[in-house]
Amino acid sequence: MGKKEQINNEKHKDIERVQAVLQLLKKQAPLSVKQEKLCNNACVERFLKVKGENVKKAAKHLRNCLNWRDSLGIDHLIADEFSAELAEGLAYVSGHDDESRPVLIFRIKQDYQKFHSQKWFTRLLVFTLEVAIQTMARSVEQFVILFDASFFRSASAFMNILLASLKIIADYYPGRLHKAFVIDPPSLFSYLWKGVKTFVDLAPLTMVVSSLDFEESLEFNDFTAYPRAASLRFNPSSISSDGKIGSCSSSRFSFTVSHHFDSVKPWYLSLTDTSSAKVGPTTNMGPAISPLNARSYSFASPIDRTPRGNNNMGPMKKSFFPSTPLPTKSKDMVDHSEIHHPRAMRPSFFQSPAMFFKKDGGKGHTISRVDKCRESFQPFLKFYRRPYDEMIYRSKMRPPLGGLISIVSPHIRRRHMSVSQRF
């Protein structure tokens, strides 16, 4: 009973703080219908959490947010203003993660700031954030942002866009950001970020990742997914097993393997065509190249030349192509399996006192920050690689953000009219 009473008291105090913040706002200036709808209990609680449950600071912060929204005209933003940005896919909502949080992607190009003002970029950012908030479920309050910096060559130019975006989210959308990822930034960005992130409020939620670390993940590690690239690979199964291995020849020289084990040079070059297996009719058009000599296995490593899993030269597999022969194993040769290497030193029973102060208690390996960033970005990789579709993104917009089409189309109802009704 004591715990339940404690929880009820905390909830009662939270409701009292929310009501106190709303009363302070109404004393300063009356709230409009849209502002009252915006300042619900969840919104006021987020501002209180950021300001450490201080009622006066939360009320002041919320009032500044309402004034900023009025000055920017957020209530009148529509998709028709950003038709060019929507067509190119510069900023959009890619989807929702496993916890129903919307995932936003910003692919702003470096030349965008040359032709657009900072206020225009702010309106585009706010429009995308408002669309993401509209798509949230009632139990969801946060979103994830992916900043694609691969289009930037200047680290300082991208830093200006990133800092402006994070400041707007921290000041006017407190408690909304779950995580932010900076993908493929310029080379000097890491140095600038180390010096700036101490002054950024959302720096602990921002991570820098590289898309090259995830090239072999998901279905993209299958080489045969690309038919043109897969056709260039050598396919040994296409060659009949009963074919004879001939010498590798070209129009200038021929390559012949010697089968004498005592030979100093197991291979030699000659300017004559000694190929015995040719494709097509034998004419004077020059030596033809057979599928057997399309790729030379003479320079293969000793590991590839010998059958794996068996030290003795036994029966070879059908797909194994003999190459440069190796010298026979004599009795005088040293058997490396009999060499006894010194054992590695086992860890002592007495460990360093610093091991007891680790988070994992000295068990296992510590995970670096880079590995943590990779693991955090792994669930959102599919949204980053997903192709952009303007129609799918527009279908997520609700009126009035969706533009004139979303405003007019729900109110249009086609009714059957008879001839007498028309006149």
Side-chain angles (χ1 to χ4, degrees), residues 1-215:
M1 295 297 293
K3 291 183 179 180
K4 290 183 178 179
E5 290 179 357
Q6 215 172 10
I7 293 173
N8 293 332
N9 291 335
E10 290 179 358
K11 289 183 179 179
H12 185 66
K13 289 180 180 179
D14 293 340
I15 294 173
E16 288 180 352
R17 293 193 194 98
V18 171
Q19 295 299 328
V21 171
L22 293 176
Q23 288 178 3
L24 287 176
L25 288 175
K26 293 177 181 179
K27 284 182 180 179
Q28 296 173 1
L31 300 178
S32 62
V33 178
K34 292 183 178 180
Q35 289 177 350
E36 288 183 356
K37 186 178 179 180
L38 177 66
C39 299
N40 52 16
N41 293 342
C43 177
V44 178
E45 287 176 359
R46 286 193 298 269
F47 279 86
L48 282 170
K49 186 177 180 181
V50 171
K51 294 301 179 181
E53 306 298 334
N54 192 320
V55 175
K56 292 183 178 180
K57 291 183 179 179
K60 183 179 179 180
H61 192 184
L62 187 53
R63 172 55 64 182
N64 293 336
C65 179
L66 295 177
N67 295 336
W68 174 79
R69 293 176 67 92
D70 292 339
S71 63
L72 200 62
I74 296 178
D75 297 333
H76 306 287
L77 289 176
I78 58 176
D80 299 337
E81 299 182 21
F82 312 102
S83 57
E85 286 81 358
L86 295 180
E88 295 182 8
L90 300 183
Y92 61 96
V93 179
S94 179
H96 295 76
D97 63 354
D98 297 336
E99 298 183 7
S100 301
R101 287 186 294 255
V103 180
L104 291 74
I105 297 181
F106 289 90
R107 288 195 167 99
I108 308 298
K109 299 180 181 179
Q110 184 170 345
D111 299 337
Y112 186 79
Q113 289 182 318
K114 296 181 180 179
F115 305 101
H116 301 84
S117 61
Q118 184 65 28
K119 184 178 180 180
W120 185 265
F121 170 73
T122 303
R123 290 175 65 85
L124 175 62
L125 172 66
V126 172
F127 172 80
T128 311
L129 295 178
E130 292 293 328
V131 173
I133 293 173
Q134 280 188 351
T135 60
M136 287 182 181
R138 292 183 177 180
S139 59
V140 180
E141 294 184 354
Q142 293 181 326
F143 48 73
V144 181
I145 299 181
L146 309 181
F147 293 98
D148 188 2
S150 59
F151 296 97
F152 280 83
R153 299 179 300 274
S154 174
S156 59
F158 177 72
M159 181 66 71
N160 294 334
I161 289 182
L162 179 64
L163 294 181
S165 304
L166 294 179
K167 182 172 177 57
I168 291 173
I169 296 171
D171 293 344
Y172 307 113
Y173 295 90
R176 287 289 193 181
L177 182 64
H178 175 66
K179 287 180 182 178
F181 296 94
V182 179
I183 308 169
D184 297 336
S187 57
L188 297 178
F189 174 80
S190 59
Y191 302 100
L192 298 177
W193 179 245
K194 286 182 181 179
V196 173
K197 67 180 181 180
T198 55
F199 306 99
V200 181
D201 296 335
L202 299 179
L205 302 177
T206 307
M207 303 179 183
V208 181
V209 295
S210 175
S211 62
L212 299 178
D213 299 335
F214 303 93
E215 283 190 347

Side-chain angles (χ1 to χ4, degrees), residues 242-262:
D242 55 349
K244 297 181 179 179
I245 307 298
S247 59
C248 179
S249 62
S250 67
S251 59
R252 300 183 61 183
F253 62 89
S254 63
F255 182 84
T256 308
V257 178
S258 174
H259 296 282
H260 300 284
F261 295 100
D262 298 333

Side-chain angles (χ1 to χ4, degrees), residues 256-269 324-328:
T256 308
V257 178
S258 174
H259 296 282
H260 300 284
F261 295 100
D262 298 333
S263 176
V264 179
K265 293 182 179 181
W267 52 267
Y268 63 91
L269 299 177
T324 305
L326 294 177
T328 57

Side-chain angles (χ1 to χ4, degrees), residues 221-411:
N221 59 348
D222 189 6
F223 192 79
T224 59
Y226 305 92
R228 182 177 181 183
S231 63
L232 298 178
R233 301 190 67 180
F234 180 75
N235 189 9
S237 61
S238 61
I239 303 175
S240 57
S241 59
D242 55 349
K244 297 181 179 179
I245 307 298
S247 59
C248 179
S249 62
S250 67
S251 59
R252 300 183 61 183
F253 62 89
S254 63
F255 182 84
T256 308
V257 178
S258 174
H259 296 282
H260 300 284
F261 295 100
D262 298 333
S263 176
V264 179
K265 293 182 179 181
W267 52 267
Y268 63 91
L269 299 177
S270 62
L271 299 178
T272 58
D273 182 18
T274 59
S275 177
S276 60
K278 297 182 180 180
V279 177
T282 55
T283 58
N284 296 329
M285 296 299 292
I289 298 177
S290 65
L292 298 177
N293 57 26
R295 180 179 175 181
S296 177
Y297 283 83
S298 302
F299 297 97
S301 61
I303 299 177
D304 292 335
R305 292 194 219 121
T306 57
R308 298 183 181 181
N310 186 13
N311 294 333
N312 299 326
M313 297 295 291
M316 299 183 180
K317 299 180 182 179
K318 292 183 180 181
S319 61
F320 179 77
F321 293 90
S323 179
T324 305
L326 294 177
T328 57
K329 185 177 180 181
S330 60
K331 298 181 180 180
D332 298 336
M333 295 181 66
V334 181
D335 189 4
H336 295 279
S337 61
E338 298 179 358
I339 299 177
H340 299 283
H341 298 280
R343 293 183 178 180
M345 295 294 295
R346 292 184 178 181
S348 175
F349 176 79
F350 300 99
Q351 297 182 357
S352 174
M355 299 293 290
F356 296 97
F357 295 95
K358 289 186 177 182
K359 295 181 179 180
D360 55 355
K363 299 177 181 180
H365 301 281
T366 57
I367 302 176
S368 62
R369 181 174 176 81
V370 178
D371 295 336
K372 289 182 180 179
C373 294
R374 292 174 183 173
E375 292 178 1
S376 301
F377 182 68
Q378 186 70 35
F380 308 102
L381 180 63
K382 57 183 179 181
F383 299 101
Y384 175 71
R385 289 177 171 173
R386 181 179 297 174
Y388 170 71
D389 193 341
E390 182 182 358
M391 297 304 296
I392 295 177
Y393 177 45
R394 283 183 177 270
S395 64
K396 300 176 183 178
M397 302 177 188
R398 300 177 184 175
L401 294 177
L404 297 177
I405 298 177
S406 64
I407 296 173
V408 176
S409 59
H411 302 285

